[in-house]
Amino acid sequence: MSDISPPLTLTSIQVLHQQLLQQLEQVSSLADLEKIRPDLTGKKSPLTNMLKMLGQLPPDARKELGGFLNKVREEVAAKLEERFTSLQQQALDQKLMQEKQDVTLPPRPETVGKIHPITQVIEEVTQIFAKMGFELAEGPDIEREYYNFTALNFAEDHPARQMHDTFYLPPAHNGKELGGVLLRTHTSPVQIHAMRQSAPPLRVLAPGRTYRCDSDATHSPMFHQVEGLVVDKKIHMGHLKACVIDFCQSFFGVRHLKVRFRPSYFPFTEPSAEMDIGCLRRDGKLKIGEGDDWLEILGCGMVHPNVLKMGGINPEEYQGFAFGIGIERLGMLKYGIPDLRAFYDSDARWLQHY
Ligand code: DAH
C-alpha cells in the first residue's frame, strides 16, 4: 500500500475502508496476514495517518470524521483478529489431517529404573535384623575424632588414627576452630551416639557410608558398613553368636551354614572375634555353604566396658555385643561381583543386570 495518504474526506475514508476489508478477505494464509498487518493497523498505516491528520481539520469536521474514522479502525482491527483466529484454526486442521497416527507402529521401549545393588543389600540386611527387633540408628558422615576413635577406646597412638588411613578435615573453617574432624572410618561411632540417645535395653542397626584412604579392586575410598549393637542385662557371647549366625543363614539363604569364630582384636570390644563362613572355591568361583574353605564375613565382640561408660551406661549393670559388616563385600559375595569398583561406575547396563 502506498505511503501517500489520501485526502481526508468521508468518501476517501469509505474507499479505504472497503479496500482494507477486501484485502482481509483475500488473504489466505497466516504468513500473508502477518505481512499486511502493518498496512491495516500499524503506526504507519493509511488509517493511522488519517487519524493524525484530523488535527488539521476545523472542529466540526474533526468531530464527524474522527468518529467515523475510529469506528472504521475498530472494525478493521476486529476483522483482522477474526481472520487471524480462523486462519489459525485452518492451519491446525490441515496439520492434523496430514499427521495421521500410525497405530501399527511398535511402542517405544520403556526404560525402568532399578534400585542400586548397594541399596538392595542394605534393605535386605535391614529387613533381616528388623525381624530380630533391631531399630535403625544414624550418625554423621563427618564425624568428630572423639566419636570415631577416642570414645571407642582407641589408644592415642593407635595406627588407625594416622593420617594415611583417615581423611581428616582441616582443623579450622572460616576462622572457626573445629578440632579433630574427619570422615568416619567405620559405622562404630553410631554405637556411642545411640547409647547417649536412649537408655538400655538397646537393639540398634546403623547402615551407612564410611571412608578410608584406600583404592583398588577390593577397596574404595568410600564404602558402606552396617553396625549392630545390643545392650541389655545378662547379654553374653551366646547371644552374639546366635544373632550373627541367624543373619548369615538368612542373607545367603543357606540353612546349614558352617561358621567359625576366630579370636581377634578391636579396641571397642573385649573379647573380639571375626566370623568366617564355610565356602567352596573352585575354578575361580565361590560357593557359599559348601566345601571346606573359609571366608571372613564380619567383625564382632562384647562391647568393652570403657565403651559402655563412654556411652553413659554402667558396665556393672549392663553388657552388650556389637558387630560390623561390610556391605559391598556382602553384595559381591551374594551376587558374584568380582570388582568392587563396578558399584560406583554408574554404568546403567551393569546396574540393570543386578
Ligand atoms: N568397626 C570395625 C571396622 O571397621 C568393624 C567392627 C568390628 C565393628 C567389631 C564392630 C565390632 O561393632 O564389634 O573394621
Side-chain angles (χ1 to χ4, degrees):
M1 185 154 297
S2 75
D3 272 353
I4 303 145
S5 305
L8 194 50
T9 63
L10 200 58
T11 321
S12 68
I13 297 173
Q14 279 168 337
V15 170
L16 180 62
H17 185 199
Q18 289 316 311
Q19 266 178 8
L20 296 180
L21 292 185
Q22 213 176 359
Q23 257 186 309
L24 267 177
E25 288 279 308
Q26 281 165 359
V27 93
S28 63
S29 75
L30 275 176
D32 287 347
L33 183 72
E34 290 313 320
K35 260 188 232 153
I36 65 162
R37 189 190 279 275
D39 291 339
L40 298 184
T41 54
K43 276 191 197 137
K44 289 183 183 153
S45 63
L47 260 181
T48 311
N49 282 342
M50 282 181 161
L51 279 166
K52 282 183 198 155
M53 282 158 64
L54 279 174
Q56 297 159 13
L57 297 181
D60 276 359
R62 191 192 308 161
K63 200 171 166 203
E64 193 198 335
L65 291 186
F68 184 53
L69 203 48
N70 271 320
K71 253 198 223 138
V72 168
R73 212 184 111 88
E74 272 166 34
E75 194 196 323
V76 170
K79 281 256 153 62
L80 178 75
E81 285 322 305
E82 223 174 78
R83 195 83 188 104
F84 177 79
T85 317
S86 95
L87 284 172
Q88 212 176 24
Q89 187 60 46
Q90 243 176 46
L92 184 66
D93 287 346
Q94 211 169 13
K95 200 168 164 222
L96 288 176
M97 284 290 284
Q98 281 163 358
E99 280 178 7
K100 284 222 182 81
Q101 295 274 349
D102 182 353
V103 291
T104 64
L105 284 176
R108 294 207 180 96
E110 262 181 46
T111 44
V112 178
K114 279 255 185 129
I115 308 285
H116 193 281
I118 293 286
T119 311
Q120 285 182 46
V121 173
I122 292 178
E123 276 173 14
E124 283 175 54
V125 172
T126 305
Q127 270 177 21
I128 295 171
F129 282 109
K131 283 191 193 137
M132 300 186 216
F134 281 75
E135 282 174 34
L136 283 179
E138 266 185 342
D141 286 21
I142 299 173
E143 186 56 281
R144 299 206 165 272
E145 191 180 354
Y146 173 81
Y147 285 101
N148 197 80
F149 294 126
T150 314
L152 287 167
N153 200 38
F154 279 76
E156 278 307 320
D157 57 355
H158 193 283
R161 291 193 191 231
Q162 250 137 61
M163 298 288 250
H164 60 258
D165 289 325
T166 305
F167 290 112
Y168 281 92
L169 273 74
H173 181 66
N174 285 346
K176 211 174 123 195
E177 224 18 77
L178 295 176
V181 180
L182 44 75
L183 295 182
R184 66 178 178 189
T185 60
H186 52 176
T187 42
S188 302
V190 185
Q191 290 189 28
I192 306 293
H193 293 299
M195 286 190 274
R196 292 189 178 186
Q197 239 157 47
S198 343
L202 291 174
R203 259 184 228 193
V204 295
L205 193 76
R209 277 191 271 270
T210 47
Y211 308 83
R212 282 179 210 174
C213 301
D214 227 343
S215 189
D216 58 40
T218 51
H219 295 92
S220 148
M222 188 279 297
F223 56 105
H224 298 76
Q225 287 188 338
V226 59
E227 191 79 12
L229 171 72
V230 169
V231 181
D232 205 341
K233 288 178 178 166
K234 303 200 178 84
I235 288 289
H236 55 71
M237 200 90 183
H239 296 121
L240 164 59
K241 288 174 79 174
C243 175
V244 288
I245 291 172
D246 249 26
F247 163 72
C248 286
Q249 286 175 343
S250 296
F251 184 80
F252 292 108
V254 180
R255 196 180 268 239
H256 302 289
L257 190 64
K258 272 204 312 185
V259 301
R260 73 175 181 193
F261 289 81
R262 276 180 294 108
S264 184
Y265 173 78
F266 301 104
F268 38 92
T269 43
E270 181 59 35
S272 304
E274 268 159 308
M275 178 182 164
D276 298 338
I277 55 176
C279 66
L280 175 72
R281 285 194 182 91
R282 192 184 287 160
D283 308 327
K285 287 227 167 88
L286 188 92
K287 241 187 138 127
I288 288 164
E290 293 175 23
D292 293 319
D293 297 313
W294 294 103
L295 183 75
E296 184 190 318
I297 201 79
L298 57 84
C300 58
M302 301 304 294
V303 181
H304 196 290
N306 287 349
V307 173
L308 288 171
K309 272 190 225 159
M310 289 293 200
I313 293 173
N314 179 4
E316 305 294 334
E317 203 182 341
Y318 285 98
Q319 298 80 44
F321 69 77
F323 54 86
I325 320 174
I327 295 286
E328 279 79 356
R329 195 172 160 75
L330 285 184
M332 288 167 81
L333 292 173
K334 183 155 177 178
Y335 301 112
I337 299 166
D339 191 330
L340 170 90
R341 287 169 293 199
F343 282 124
Y344 316 112
D345 281 346
S346 298
D347 180 337
R349 286 162 309 172
W350 184 86
L351 290 171
Q352 203 68 22
H353 181 67
Y354 290 101

